[in-house]
């Protein structure tokens, strides 16, 4: 969790550090990222970095949260339609490299080394008493995340992934009728 000192930074300094963190984590995986590179590019001391963040994972988590808020801000109320639009527009997404590293490598590193910072700690359990709507929501959530991961792992299969999402969307909407 970022420190209160970080939250009180001037917007320009916070924005500069955010840009540097996005650049670092877009070019390097969590296990390759370096505080030394970050502080040099951001023009801050190593001590300041550790005043703002408890460690590199904490800085990554803050950056990931910023990006996911931005990405989810544009999502449709329908998670499947939002995911379809997200995948269709991925080549133009300014966070593509960051997200690529997240879905292919950093998500696992976070879950392994800093599970308390992982946005998705575990797959939620479906209870036997789950309603049909709860099951549909669960399927949509699991499917969208999995298919986004597949899109990053296999970019040449984007059309097949989109087709699967469209079919799932049709099936879920038919079930709701």
């Amino acid at each position: 969790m970022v420190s209160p000192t970080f939250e009180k930074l001037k917007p320009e300094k916070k924005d500069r550090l955010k840009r540097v963190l996005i650049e670092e984590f877009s070019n390097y995986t969590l296990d390759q990222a370096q505080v030394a590179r970050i502080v040099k590019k951001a023009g801050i001391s190593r001590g300041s970095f550790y005043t703002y963040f408890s460690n590199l994972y904490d800085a990554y988590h803050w950056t990931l949260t910023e990006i996911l808020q931005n990405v989810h801000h544009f999502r449709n109320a329908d998670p499947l339609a939002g995911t379809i639009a997200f995948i269709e527009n991925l080549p133009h997404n300014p966070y593509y490299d960051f997200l690529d590293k997240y879905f292919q490598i950093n998500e696992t590193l976070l879950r392994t080394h800093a599970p308390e910072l992982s946005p998705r700690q575990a797959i939620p359990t479906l209870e036997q008493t789950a309603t049909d709507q709860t099951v549909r929501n669960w399927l949509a959530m699991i499917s969208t995340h999995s298919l986004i991961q597949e899109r990053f792992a296999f970019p040449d299969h984007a059309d097949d992934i989109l087709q699967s999402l469209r079919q799932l969307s049709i099936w879920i909407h038919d079930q709701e009728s």
Side-chain angles (χ1 to χ4, degrees):
M1 187 167 182
V2 297
S3 73
T5 304
F6 177 76
E7 295 298 340
K8 293 177 186 172
L9 284 177
K10 291 181 181 175
E12 310 83 50
K13 190 170 187 174
K14 191 187 267 189
D15 287 344
R16 182 176 66 240
L17 184 52
K18 178 181 175 179
R19 284 191 309 274
V20 169
L21 288 168
I22 290 170
E23 181 183 338
E24 181 73 10
F25 297 127
S26 293
N27 292 315
Y28 302 96
T29 60
L30 253 170
D31 57 345
Q32 298 169 330
Q34 295 178 0
V35 173
R37 262 193 310 262
I38 294 167
V39 299
K40 183 177 180 181
K41 287 181 183 174
I44 63 172
S45 70
R46 192 173 186 89
S48 291
F49 179 88
Y50 287 108
T51 298
Y52 306 148
F53 307 105
S54 43
N55 55 38
L56 198 57
Y57 286 96
D58 191 31
Y60 183 83
H61 177 260
W62 179 82
T63 310
L64 174 64
T65 301
E66 290 288 307
I67 288 174
L68 291 179
Q69 285 175 350
N70 186 286
V71 168
H72 287 125
H73 173 69
F74 295 106
R75 285 193 67 182
N76 190 310
D78 174 350
L80 291 164
T83 303
I84 290 167
F86 173 74
I87 289 175
E88 288 174 338
N89 293 308
L90 252 178
H92 310 292
N93 190 307
Y95 305 117
Y96 183 91
D97 293 332
F98 182 100
L99 293 167
D100 183 46
K101 284 181 180 43
Y102 171 71
F103 282 107
Q104 292 201 58
I105 299 166
N106 291 338
E107 181 180 28
T108 300
L109 290 173
L110 261 184
R111 290 176 76 169
T112 303
H113 300 292
E116 71 282 2
L117 298 177
S118 178
R120 196 175 76 111
Q121 305 231 342
I123 295 174
T125 304
L126 257 179
E127 302 294 329
Q128 288 181 342
T129 57
T131 65
D132 287 349
Q133 185 62 47
T134 301
V135 172
R136 286 190 292 272
N137 291 345
W138 185 89
L139 280 170
M141 179 188 63
I142 298 302
S143 300
T144 56
H145 189 272
S146 177
L147 290 169
I148 289 170
Q149 279 183 312
E150 287 295 304
R151 166 51 185 82
F152 281 104
F154 305 103
D156 293 344
H157 297 167
D159 291 339
D160 295 335
I161 291 164
L162 287 166
Q163 181 58 34
S164 294
L165 281 164
R166 289 183 184 106
Q167 284 304 120
L168 181 59
S169 182
I170 291 167
W171 181 83
I172 285 177
H173 287 101
D174 286 350
Q175 295 297 310
E176 291 172 345
S177 300

